[in-house]
Amino acid sequence: MSKPLITDLNIPLFSFEECIWYIDRGFYDCLHIRTGNAIEKAISTDDGRSTTFTLEGHGNHLSIICEPEYRQEVLDYVSIWLDLNREMGSFESLASEEPKFMALYKAYRGLRLIRIPDLFEALAWSIIGQQINLNFAYQLKSRLVSKYGFQADNGVYIFPDPGTIAELQPAELKKLQFSQRKAEYLIGIANAMATGQLSREKLMKLKSVEAKCNTLISYRGIGPWSANYVLMRAIGCTNVIPHGDAGMINAYKKIFGLSQKPDNQEIITYLSHFPGWQSYVVLYWWRSLSDK
DNA sequence: CTCCAGGGCAAAT
DNA sequence: ATTTGCCATGGA
């Protein structure tokens, strides 16, 4: 490997610590490695190979350490991954007008929507995460990735291709403790993506988020929660709400001192104070759950 | 023991 | 049209 190249960025309304916290969160995830205050990752490159890179930083400063020949690809990837191109000023303005949200905004200021750039990975993660605790979900994902993914030089894995998973039988995933249903859903989605029936490009051609959402929901195993979750994390829509999300509902109850679950409409109504930023509010709610 | 986790499907009312 | 049972597992 040639001499690593360091790219230094200073990003307004960005917090390296908050973003790294979200990526890591103490769960074991073989798609990245955290060593101290740095994160190592690997990605597939356009030439059919792979490359590794490291993120370091502090406050609004971010350093990207990568192979020179893949500098632009890595920069593009990181920009999506950490949502660096988002203009955050209007979110701050909206937050400052909303008393029940202002404290959260200030506490986690600079946290960005951590994306899952690979659509298949996002769909798989949404299926895996249904109805089970996060710790077990990460275990399932790690088993899937370490068995069927690609391991890069730095030991970090790259998420498997849809084609690889499409070839599997449910029984093979059940060995990893997938439920029969989850196995069927995942293989079905892998098939849809492997055949090209479903792709990021096709999804992006649909103008409205409603159309995108309906397309995703048409696949078995993808319901309202998964569809909106995927639009948020893979596509980067910030005006969607992962309806039914247990974490979101618990955060809402906690913030507003409720003993009963709010319905979808109540959440929609409150979040209408943040037009275009609903998903970011949900992100900050998720973040708040980890503070006791 | 029961209930719930970053739900969704399919069968039963 | 709406409700209910089920899934795999682990922690509270």
Side-chain angles (χ1 to χ4, degrees):
Chain A
M1 172 171 163
S2 50
K3 190 173 185 296
L5 177 71
I6 302 178
T7 305
D8 286 306
L9 303 170
N10 286 306
I11 304 150
L13 296 176
F14 171 80
S15 164
F16 179 79
E17 287 78 6
E18 283 298 332
C19 291
I20 292 307
W21 174 88
Y22 190 90
I23 290 169
D24 187 54
R25 287 191 293 175
F27 292 109
Y28 175 67
D29 181 347
C30 55
L31 296 172
H32 65 262
I33 293 175
R34 179 171 184 169
T35 46
N37 200 33
I39 290 272
E40 288 181 54
K41 193 162 174 65
I43 57 170
S44 301
T45 51
D46 291 341
D47 58 12
R49 301 171 68 181
S50 66
T51 191
T52 64
F53 64 91
T54 302
L55 299 185
E56 295 176 358
H58 179 62
N60 75 336
H61 182 78
L62 174 66
S63 296
I64 304 169
I65 303 150
C66 66
E67 297 186 79
E69 55 268 46
Y70 293 118
R71 176 174 186 270
Q72 195 57 51
E73 276 190 67
V74 171
L75 285 183
D76 291 345
Y77 183 88
V78 173
S79 295
I80 296 171
W81 188 25
L82 304 186
D83 208 34
L84 300 183
N85 295 332
R86 190 79 56 187
E87 187 54 60
M88 301 295 290
S90 61
F91 184 48
E92 182 157 287
S93 300
L94 290 170
S96 68
E97 295 168 10
E98 197 56 42
K100 286 285 189 182
F101 185 67
M102 189 58 191
L104 290 188
Y105 179 80
K106 285 169 73 175
Y108 315 125
R109 190 170 183 265
L111 172 63
R112 297 297 182 101
L113 172 57
I114 304 303
R115 305 265 297 270
I116 304 174
D118 176 359
L119 177 61
F120 177 55
E121 180 187 334
L123 285 160
W125 180 229
S126 80
I127 290 168
I128 290 170
Q130 289 169 11
Q131 187 54 23
I132 55 176
N133 63 74
L134 270 182
N135 194 43
F136 183 50
Y138 272 101
Q139 285 183 49
L140 289 179
K141 182 169 85 164
S142 287
R143 287 174 197 154
L144 180 80
V145 169
S146 59
K147 183 155 187 178
Y148 300 108
F150 170 79
Q151 191 172 26
D153 300 334
N154 60 356
V156 182
Y157 283 87
I158 295 173
F159 202 81
D161 294 323
T164 306
I165 303 303
E167 299 294 316
L168 302 179
Q169 296 299 317
E172 297 174 83
L173 292 178
K174 289 184 79 172
K175 290 181 199 164
L176 310 182
Q177 291 184 299
F178 279 65
S179 65
Q180 174 71 28
R181 284 281 169 82
K182 276 193 165 77
E184 291 169 6
Y185 299 163
L186 180 58
I187 293 168
I189 283 291
N191 253 304
M193 290 202 68
T195 60
Q197 184 197 1
L198 175 63
S199 68
R200 166 180 289 275
E201 291 67 34
K202 284 190 175 178
L203 209 51
M204 296 303 287
K205 278 183 186 164
L206 300 171
K207 290 221 167 46
S208 67
V209 286
E210 290 79 12
K212 292 182 171 78
C213 193
N214 288 335
T215 296
L216 291 173
I217 287 176
S218 72
Y219 291 92
R220 188 162 176 265
I222 305 298
W225 176 82
S226 297
N228 286 298
Y229 183 88
V230 166
L231 288 178
M232 182 175 167
R233 299 214 51 198
I235 307 302
C237 299
T238 56
N239 59 345
V240 295
I241 303 168
H243 289 297
D245 184 274
M248 176 181 79
I249 289 168
N250 284 336
Y252 187 92
K253 284 171 63 181
K254 189 172 160 188
I255 291 164
F256 292 94
L258 306 177
S259 55
Q260 290 189 331
K261 287 184 178 182
D263 60 17
N264 289 354
Q265 191 53 53
E266 182 172 346
I267 303 262
I268 290 171
T269 301
Y270 176 73
L271 289 179
S272 68
H273 296 144
F274 302 86
W277 294 93
Q278 290 91 334
S279 315
Y280 253 92
V281 174
V282 174
L283 174 76
Y284 278 57
W285 283 349
W286 280 337
R287 174 67 181 86
S288 74
L289 287 172
S290 293
D291 285 345
K292 292 301 172 235

